[in-house]
Amino acid sequence: MVNQGFSSVLAAWPLFLSGLWLTIILAAVSCIAGTVLGMLCAWGIVQGPGWLRRPLRYYVELFRNTPFIIQVFFIYFGLASVGLKMTAVPASLVALTLNLGAYACEIGRAGLEATPRGQVEAAESLALSRWQIFRYVLIPPALARVWPALVSQLVIMMLASSVCSQISAEELSYQANFVAGKTFRSFESFSIVTGIYLLLAIIQRKLLLWAGPRFLFGQVKF
């Protein structure tokens, strides 16, 4: 019976493949956008003008201290009530990016604050602009320090994309629910999806830990 159950669920592999593809897209886009947003916010809090720091802190506290599902519902349903309507996928991307940006901001801020002040002063003495200092002096060592923690947060964000099924984004968990309801094989359906998520998380973690030192910050020495 169990084998028959898995056979009927596996017969719906195009749905799982479609959901997997959307999950990968949601994770990839939101991870890139959220990390960039987080690092910019971290710079704004650490070295930005005074008028910018308070709003950024409010943003970080708001998204780190409210449930992610509420954020998704607010962006999808709440904003629609005031005329800002989005379909499920764009709303999911906005929610994932803003949520990750808040967490990445705090992670990045720890890395930026650990950068010795002397490095910044040396860069200023070379007449580098604030953007050049941020891009070439602050970001590489900061990312190197916090990369393992940031990678863990990126994996968590990929897994959190399953929440977006609640607004009918047809990602992996949405398709699992659909297949389970269609075949009445919940155990088999969710067992398969659990394995897929586990494999995705392992691949994503290993890929990011490999790619970071090679493409983002190099082999920074302290």
Side-chain angles (χ1 to χ4, degrees):
M1 293 294 292
V2 174
N3 289 336
Q4 292 178 353
F6 273 104
S7 297
S8 63
V9 171
L10 288 172
W13 66 266
L15 294 177
F16 287 114
L17 186 60
S18 173
L20 173 61
W21 179 240
L22 181 55
T23 294
I24 292 173
I25 291 175
L26 290 175
V29 174
S30 63
C31 283
I32 294 172
T35 300
V36 172
L37 174 62
M39 296 307 294
L40 290 174
C41 290
W43 173 83
I45 291 175
V46 174
Q47 292 198 329
W51 60 266
L52 183 61
R53 296 177 185 179
R54 188 181 297 273
L56 290 178
R57 289 194 180 101
Y58 287 155
Y59 154 66
V60 170
E61 292 303 313
L62 174 64
F63 279 87
R64 291 179 70 241
N65 293 286
T66 54
F68 178 58
I69 192 169
I70 299 301
Q71 298 167 18
V72 174
F73 284 166
F74 179 82
I75 291 170
Y76 185 68
F77 296 112
L79 294 183
S81 66
V82 295
L84 298 176
K85 296 181 180 180
M86 286 181 279
T87 57
V89 172
S92 299
L93 287 172
V94 170
L96 288 165
T97 298
L98 290 176
N99 184 274
L100 175 59
Y103 284 93
C105 175
E106 286 298 279
I107 295 172
R109 184 169 66 87
L112 291 175
E113 290 180 341
T115 301
R117 175 62 188 169
Q119 292 185 12
V120 178
E121 292 174 348
E124 291 173 343
S125 69
L126 295 173
L128 296 181
S129 67
R130 298 186 71 178
W131 167 249
Q132 289 174 320
I133 293 173
F134 176 68
R135 171 64 180 85
Y136 299 107
V137 178
L138 291 176
I139 283 295
L143 280 178
R145 291 186 185 94
V146 303
W147 191 243
L150 184 57
V151 167
S152 294
Q153 190 60 46
L154 295 176
V155 172
I156 290 172
M157 201 75 266
M158 183 275 293
L159 298 175
S161 66
S162 60
V163 174
C164 298
S165 64
Q166 299 302 307
I167 58 171
S168 299
E170 297 182 5
E171 44 72 62
L172 194 54
S173 61
Y174 176 95
Q175 300 294 5
N177 274 308
F178 180 81
V179 172
K182 185 177 180 180
T183 62
F184 300 101
R185 296 289 183 177
S186 297
F187 174 81
E188 292 85 353
S189 180
F190 289 108
S191 293
I192 291 172
V193 170
T194 297
I196 295 174
Y197 273 119
L198 177 61
L199 185 61
L200 273 178
I202 293 173
I203 292 174
Q204 182 184 9
R205 185 182 302 276
K206 289 184 177 297
L207 180 61
L208 290 173
L209 289 175
W210 172 84
R214 289 165 177 80
F215 301 109
L216 294 180
F217 47 82
Q219 298 294 340
V220 178
K221 304 296 183 181
F222 304 106

